[in-house]
């Protein structure tokens, strides 16, 4: 297969997200190096040489790897480098970095200067708005799923590592939700789709016993378990685990569909720009990426009329996804699993899933779920650069859609897409401020 | 139309298996680790080249030998262009040096090597 001349949009976006994570980790490492090498702190660290070695090797390794990533010009090379860095961060660096950071903070009482870092990446004005805007955005999504009377105190925490998570805690009283957000995602447009997805998970875990949701699970569970028995790793081949995994996958499907129904393409962009391009062939906690992308596109294409601008854009997006997937989805075992999965969904359950979400999960009366009209408003706003009148659903769609639209132009002018994000950063600040002002 | 079965309790189901499963899965963390598992010990071309050069006896290693060994390490997807750019990256970072007289690559004197 001939490699297209330019790297694929989604490969660039995924690689760029990894680049930002790596640069963030690098900034952390440099902060730790400064702390450890400060003569005043020597007595605080009995194993100083070991720490120095660890930090210095991490800095060297990441610097070279980042240079290598920035020089990548093809989809394959971008994906390979990005996955390589992501695996290094996940398995080698994040855990020891977190432990070392805790140790250094505890002993020297010095914290990583997040504001300084944000200034460096040109989103310095965003810091005062972060927590309020995340709270307000999440409250908006919760109301889409729980109804207009949803009330909770949200405690947002940002973490160096980890993933999006919303969970209830009981401190002095009920009704407090902790919201964990990976720190690096604060500056990413993927933040909003992550919140929309997690809010749906929270709804599913807090209100069990919804008859339609449960009935569908009972039917689908049998089919999922059949796939599961064929593809689950050997160590997990037990009735309980396969059943539990199909339960988790069902929840993921519902959360994906809910999020697509509410915010539309932003959810697909988020999914594709965040998920590693890997053709995994094991039955695990999430459905395979091509399956998730498939039902998301099917849902969106079912709500727009054919031959409209919106339908054409969705077709373009889907074509771009197909090209991207061709680069990593050739494994036979993976294809088999995806095909089995899709044949189950396509033939029997896809429309049931959409119906269940529409009737039982997306229940807020104040929202107008994504539709052609929303799309029109987004395109107009981008064209006329007038974002002030947009509502939350439109706002979360603007940055990645705008980036998608300007991508061909970016390539024509031979800019390096990995480094050209200044307008997107401006948009991030703007959206943060808008959400902070929102009074839900 | 499929036949609808009797009502099934999701809550009861979670109660039956939830604790057991939660002990085994931190869903998000294991998901990402599972996806990236095949790349856990993967290495970039520059890392492999640096390792070969580092392990080579004096006066260093020739380009042809480097290519052969790199090709062995990356039987699929190896490209000479990528190798050249990796070598140039290592030279720019002053981790390796090229000796014209012997036409060999060796580790630069005093360089701290980011080898794992």
């Amino acid at each position: 297969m001939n490699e297209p001349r330019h790297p694929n949009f989604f490969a660039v976006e995924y690689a760029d997200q990894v680049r930002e994570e790596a640069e963030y980790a690098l900034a952390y490492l440099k902060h730790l190096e400064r702390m450890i090498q400060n003569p005043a702190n020597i007595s605080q660290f009995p194993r100083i040489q070991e720490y120095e070695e660890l930090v210095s090797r991490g800095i060297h390794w990441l610097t070279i790897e980042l240079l290598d990533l920035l020089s990548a010009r093809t989809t394959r090379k971008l994906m390979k480098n990005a996955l390589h860095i992501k695996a290094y961060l996940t398995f080698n660096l994040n855990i020891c970095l977190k432990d070392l950071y805790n140790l250094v903070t505890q002993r020297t009482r010095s914290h990583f200067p997040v504001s300084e870092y944000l200034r460096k990446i040109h989103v310095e004005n965003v810091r005062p708005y972060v927590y309020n805007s995340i709270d307000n955005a999440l409250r908006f999504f919760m109301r889409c799923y729980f109804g207009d009377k949803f009330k909770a105190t949200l405690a947002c925490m940002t973490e160096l590592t980890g993933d999006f998570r919303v969970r209830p805690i009981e401190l002095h009283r009920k009704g407090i939700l902790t919201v964990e957000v990976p720190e690096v995602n604060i500056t990413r447009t993927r933040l909003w789709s992550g919140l929309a997805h997690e809010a749906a998970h929270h709804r599913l875990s807090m209100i069990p016993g919804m008859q339609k949701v449960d009935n569908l699970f009972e039917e689908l569970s049998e089919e999922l378990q059949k796939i599961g028995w064929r593809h689950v790793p050997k160590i997990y081949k037990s009735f309980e685990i396969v059943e539990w995994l199909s339960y988790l996958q069902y929840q993921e499907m519902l959360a994906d569909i809910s999020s697509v129904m509410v915010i539309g393409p932003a959810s697909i962009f988020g999914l594709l720009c965040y998920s590693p391009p890997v053709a995994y062939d094991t039955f695990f906690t999430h459905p395979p990426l091509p399956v998730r992308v498939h039902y998301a596109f099917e849902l969106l294409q079912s709500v727009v009329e054919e031959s409209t601008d919106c339908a054409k854009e969705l077709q373009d997006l889907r074509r771009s996804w197909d090209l991207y997937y061709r680069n990593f989805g050739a494994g036979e075992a993976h294809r088999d699993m995806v095909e089995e999965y899709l044949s189950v969904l396509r033939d029997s359950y896809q429309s049931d899933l959409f119906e269940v979400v529409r009737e039982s999960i997306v229940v807020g009366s104040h929202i107008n779920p994504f539709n052609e009209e929303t799309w029109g408003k987004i395109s107009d706003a981008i064209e006329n650069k007038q974002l002030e009148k947009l509502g939350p659903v439109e706002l979360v769609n603007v940055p990645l859609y705008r980036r998608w639209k300007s991508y061909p132009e970016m390539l024509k002018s031979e800019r390096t897409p990995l480094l050209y994000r200044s307008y997107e950063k401006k948009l991030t600040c703007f959206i943060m401020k808008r959400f902070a002002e929102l009074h839900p | 139309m499929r036949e609808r079965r009797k009502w099934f309790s999701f809550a009861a189901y979670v109660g039956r298996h939830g604790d057991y499963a939660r002990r085994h899965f931190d869903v998000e963390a294991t998901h990402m680790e599972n996806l990236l598992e095949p790349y856990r010990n993967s290495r970039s071309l520059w890392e492999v080249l640096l390792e070969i050069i580092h392990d080579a006896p004096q006066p260093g290693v020739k380009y042809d030998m480097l290519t052969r060994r790199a090709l062995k390490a990356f039987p699929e997807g190896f490209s000479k262009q990528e190798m050249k750019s990796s070598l140039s990256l290592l030279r720019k970072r002053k981790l390796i040096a090229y000796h014209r007289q012997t036409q060999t690559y060796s580790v630069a004197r005093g360089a701290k090597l980011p080898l794992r």
Side-chain angles (χ1 to χ4, degrees):
Chain A
M1 192 181 67
N2 286 335
E3 178 106 26
R5 209 172 132 236
H6 300 300
N8 179 277
F9 175 77
F10 296 116
V12 170
E13 290 307 293
Y14 179 72
D16 195 52
Q17 174 196 262
V18 173
R19 173 194 63 79
E20 201 160 271
E21 275 178 50
E23 278 180 3
Y24 199 65
L26 200 57
Y28 254 91
L29 283 168
K30 285 181 180 165
H31 164 74
L32 291 175
E33 190 180 46
R34 274 198 301 275
M35 288 299 116
I36 292 170
Q37 286 178 349
N38 185 341
N41 294 332
I42 283 179
S43 59
Q44 306 285 335
F45 303 108
R47 289 157 65 196
I48 195 157
Q49 272 183 332
E50 197 184 310
Y51 302 146
E52 262 182 338
E53 177 73 20
L54 176 82
V55 169
S56 140
R57 204 184 308 146
I59 290 175
H60 258 72
W61 193 93
L62 274 179
T63 311
I64 300 176
E65 201 59 48
L66 276 167
L67 286 171
D68 204 20
L69 181 74
L70 286 172
S71 70
R73 290 284 177 273
T74 63
T75 304
R76 269 170 207 276
K77 173 95 170 110
L78 272 171
M79 287 186 335
K80 205 164 78 178
N81 279 33
L83 287 169
H84 186 59
I85 296 178
K86 182 75 183 171
Y88 178 77
L89 290 174
T90 307
F91 296 113
N92 297 59
L93 200 60
N94 279 351
I95 297 164
C96 64
L97 194 60
K98 199 172 175 181
D99 289 347
L100 190 55
Y101 178 70
N102 287 343
L103 180 87
V104 169
T105 312
Q106 209 177 34
R107 301 211 172 158
T108 63
R109 308 244 171 251
S110 68
H111 292 270
F112 175 68
V114 180
S115 311
E116 216 173 276
Y117 179 75
L118 291 176
R119 201 175 309 132
K120 210 174 116 195
I121 57 169
H122 314 296
V123 283
E124 74 267 31
N125 299 330
V126 97
R127 192 71 189 159
Y129 306 102
V130 169
Y131 294 108
N132 274 346
S133 49
I134 291 178
D135 280 2
N136 286 349
L138 200 57
R139 203 167 276 123
F140 171 80
F141 294 131
M142 290 292 187
R143 285 184 180 171
C144 296
Y145 305 135
F146 282 88
D148 304 344
K149 287 181 181 165
F150 171 83
K151 265 186 191 167
T153 304
L154 300 169
C156 180
M157 300 186 287
T158 54
E159 274 206 329
L160 168 62
T161 58
D163 208 325
F164 288 85
R165 218 185 296 240
V166 179
R167 46 187 167 190
I169 50 162
E170 288 183 25
L171 288 173
H172 306 297
R173 61 186 174 87
K174 285 185 178 180
I176 303 176
L177 296 179
T178 60
V179 184
E180 292 165 38
V181 178
E183 249 163 25
V184 71
N185 275 285
I186 287 173
T187 61
R188 306 284 316 184
T189 44
R190 192 251 162 189
L191 171 68
W192 315 107
S193 63
L195 293 177
H197 177 94
E198 292 310 315
H201 269 306
H202 182 63
R203 159 78 153 96
L204 288 164
S205 63
M206 291 306 283
I207 312 187
M210 289 176 284
Q211 196 169 339
K212 283 182 182 169
V213 174
D214 295 351
N215 276 341
L216 184 58
F217 174 63
E218 196 200 6
E219 288 177 27
L220 186 55
S221 158
E222 277 177 31
E223 301 288 346
L224 289 179
Q225 283 179 56
K226 276 185 208 161
I227 304 171
W229 276 106
R230 277 194 286 277
H231 298 281
V232 78
K234 266 186 193 166
I235 51 162
Y236 295 136
K237 267 200 175 171
S238 81
F239 170 75
E240 288 89 348
I241 295 185
V242 172
E243 203 184 7
W244 177 252
L245 290 175
S246 35
Y247 159 72
L248 291 177
Q249 296 210 4
Y250 178 61
Q251 285 212 326
E252 288 299 332
M253 284 189 240
L254 294 179
D256 284 338
I257 294 168
S258 309
S259 144
V260 173
M261 209 168 269
V262 171
I263 62 173
S267 189
I268 297 185
F269 276 122
L271 196 61
L272 288 177
C273 301
Y274 181 72
S275 306
V278 173
Y280 57 107
D281 53 16
T282 54
F283 189 81
F284 211 56
T285 54
H286 291 56
L289 181 63
V291 173
R292 300 174 79 180
V293 173
H294 169 83
Y295 54 65
F297 272 120
E298 290 288 306
L299 172 61
L300 282 183
Q301 288 177 323
S302 72
V303 297
V304 297
E305 268 182 46
E306 273 178 47
S307 77
T308 56
D309 284 351
C310 181
K312 279 179 204 155
E313 287 285 358
L314 285 173
Q315 273 167 5
D316 277 354
L317 256 183
R318 203 166 183 169
R319 255 197 302 276
S320 182
W321 150 250
D322 286 339
L323 284 174
Y324 179 45
Y325 182 46
R326 247 185 254 166
N327 278 284
F328 66 90
E332 205 177 317
H334 166 76
R335 285 269 177 191
D336 282 351
M337 188 169 81
V338 169
E339 206 32 63
E340 271 178 62
Y341 221 120
L342 287 179
S343 65
V344 167
L345 290 186
R346 260 193 312 243
D347 298 342
S348 317
Y349 294 102
Q350 195 167 274
S351 51
D352 290 359
L353 278 164
F354 298 163
E355 193 186 312
V356 159
V357 171
R358 201 169 281 129
E359 288 178 9
S360 308
I361 300 177
V362 181
V363 293
S365 62
H366 68 298
I367 58 143
N368 188 10
F370 179 83
N371 54 35
E372 272 171 44
E373 204 184 316
T374 326
W375 188 273
K377 281 186 197 167
I378 298 165
S379 340
D380 287 349
I382 291 174
E383 217 164 283
N384 305 322
K385 293 196 174 175
Q386 285 182 338
L387 307 175
E388 283 74 18
K389 285 177 187 167
L390 295 183
V393 171
E394 290 95 33
L395 269 181
V396 299
N397 271 287
V398 167
L400 271 171
Y401 177 58
R402 199 248 170 214
R403 191 161 164 80
W404 157 255
K405 290 293 285 176
S406 58
Y407 186 62
E409 202 182 301
M410 221 184 293
L411 291 173
K412 230 186 269 173
S413 59
E414 297 200 347
R415 286 171 180 144
T416 310
L418 247 60
L419 293 175
Y420 186 69
R421 307 199 79 92
S422 54
Y423 191 68
E424 191 194 343
K425 279 170 183 167
K426 266 187 206 162
L427 284 176
T428 304
C429 296
F430 176 79
I431 296 172
M432 280 275 176
K433 283 179 195 168
R434 283 298 304 273
F435 269 113
E437 289 158 11
L438 199 73
H439 296 292
Chain B
M1 182 75 188
R2 294 183 311 278
E3 187 194 339
R4 292 268 177 199
R5 290 160 195 244
K6 68 177 171 37
W7 187 68
F8 168 87
S9 167
F10 215 13
Y13 172 80
V14 175
R16 203 163 72 236
H17 295 312
D19 285 344
Y20 169 80
R22 262 189 286 273
R23 279 201 301 276
H24 289 78
F25 299 108
D26 176 354
V27 177
E28 294 305 335
T30 46
H31 173 57
M32 197 51 86
E33 283 172 13
N34 183 49
L35 288 180
L36 296 167
E37 187 57 43
Y39 299 86
R40 185 192 272 262
N41 296 315
S42 69
R43 291 180 309 161
S44 290
L45 183 54
W46 71 261
E47 258 187 298
V48 172
L49 292 173
L50 187 60
E51 205 173 86
I52 297 170
I53 295 168
H54 174 254
D55 293 344
Q58 282 302 330
V61 57
K62 289 207 169 190
Y63 182 80
D64 289 346
M65 173 64 92
L66 255 184
T67 315
R68 272 201 297 279
R69 296 190 59 185
L71 189 60
K72 211 172 163 188
F74 292 94
E76 283 170 32
F78 173 81
S79 87
K80 283 197 174 178
Q81 199 184 353
E82 206 179 308
M83 180 165 152
K84 276 183 190 161
S85 96
S86 296
L87 283 173
S88 131
L89 182 68
L90 292 173
R91 281 175 73 184
K92 265 187 206 157
R93 299 291 305 168
K94 295 188 177 151
L95 295 173
I96 61 167
Y98 179 69
H99 309 283
R100 282 193 180 187
Q101 278 179 332
T102 53
Q103 293 184 332
T104 54
Y105 290 93
S106 70
V107 167
R109 198 174 296 159
K112 272 189 179 178
L113 302 184
L115 291 171
R116 277 196 263 174

